C-alpha cells in the first residue's frame, strides 16, 4: 500500500548556497510533481534568516520539512526537527555536501 502524502509540507531553500538560487524553482516543482502539496515555501539568503524561518515553521511543525542547502543549512534544520514528529527531507545544494555523501543521498 503506497504511503499517504504528508498533510503539511514546507520547503526551505538557502539560496545563498552554491546551487540554491538556481535550484529553488526546480525544488518547488519537483516536490509538487512528487504529489506533495506545499503549505509554504521559503527562499532564504542567510544563516540568521534560516534560523528565524525554521523557528517560525516549527511553531506548528509540519509533517514534512524539505530543506535545500549545504551542510550548515541541513544541520541547522536537523537540530530544529530533532525530537519532533516532523520528517526532514534533504536537498544537497552546497559545495561539500558531506552529510549527503555519508548518507548516500544523490
Amino acid at each position: 500500500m503506497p504511503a499517504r502524502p504528508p498533510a503539511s509540507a514546507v520547503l526551505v531553500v538557502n539560496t545563498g548556497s552554491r546551487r540554491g538560487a538556481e535550484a529553488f524553482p526546480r525544488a518547488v516543482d519537483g516536490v509538487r510533481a512528487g504529489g506533495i502539496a506545499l503549505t509554504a515555501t521559503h527562499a532564504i539568503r542567510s544563516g540568521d534568516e534560516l534560523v528565524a524561518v525554521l523557528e517560525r515553521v516549527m511553531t506548528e511543525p509540519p509533517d514534512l520539512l524539505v530543506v535545500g542547502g549545504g551542510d550548515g543549512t541541513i544541520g541547522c534544520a536537523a537540530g530544529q526537527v530533532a525530537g519532533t514528529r516532523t520528517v526532514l527531507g534533504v536537498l544537497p545544494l552546497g559545495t561539500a555536501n558531506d552529510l549527503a555523501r555519508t548518507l548516500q543521498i544523490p
Side-chain angles (χ1 to χ4, degrees):
M1 179 173 184
R4 258 184 307 168
S8 60
V10 174
L11 172 69
V12 177
V13 174
N14 182 350
T15 60
S17 65
R18 183 171 184 225
R19 296 184 311 254
E22 69 185 49
F24 181 71
R26 289 191 339 232
V28 172
D29 292 343
V31 171
R32 288 180 175 151
I36 297 171
L38 290 167
T39 53
T41 63
H42 301 276
I44 57 97
R45 294 191 178 122
S46 70
D48 290 340
E49 187 179 3
L50 172 66
V51 171
V53 165
L54 290 175
E55 286 175 350
R56 265 196 329 271
V57 165
M58 294 305 291
T59 59
E60 292 185 33
D63 295 327
L64 173 64
L65 173 61
V66 179
V67 177
D71 291 326
T73 300
I74 304 303
C76 182
Q80 290 286 331
V81 301
T84 72
R85 292 181 173 263
T86 299
V87 173
L88 178 62
V90 174
L91 298 174
L93 302 174
T95 303
N97 295 317
D98 290 326
L99 175 70
R101 276 189 285 136
T102 299
L103 297 176
Q104 299 180 350
I105 298 171

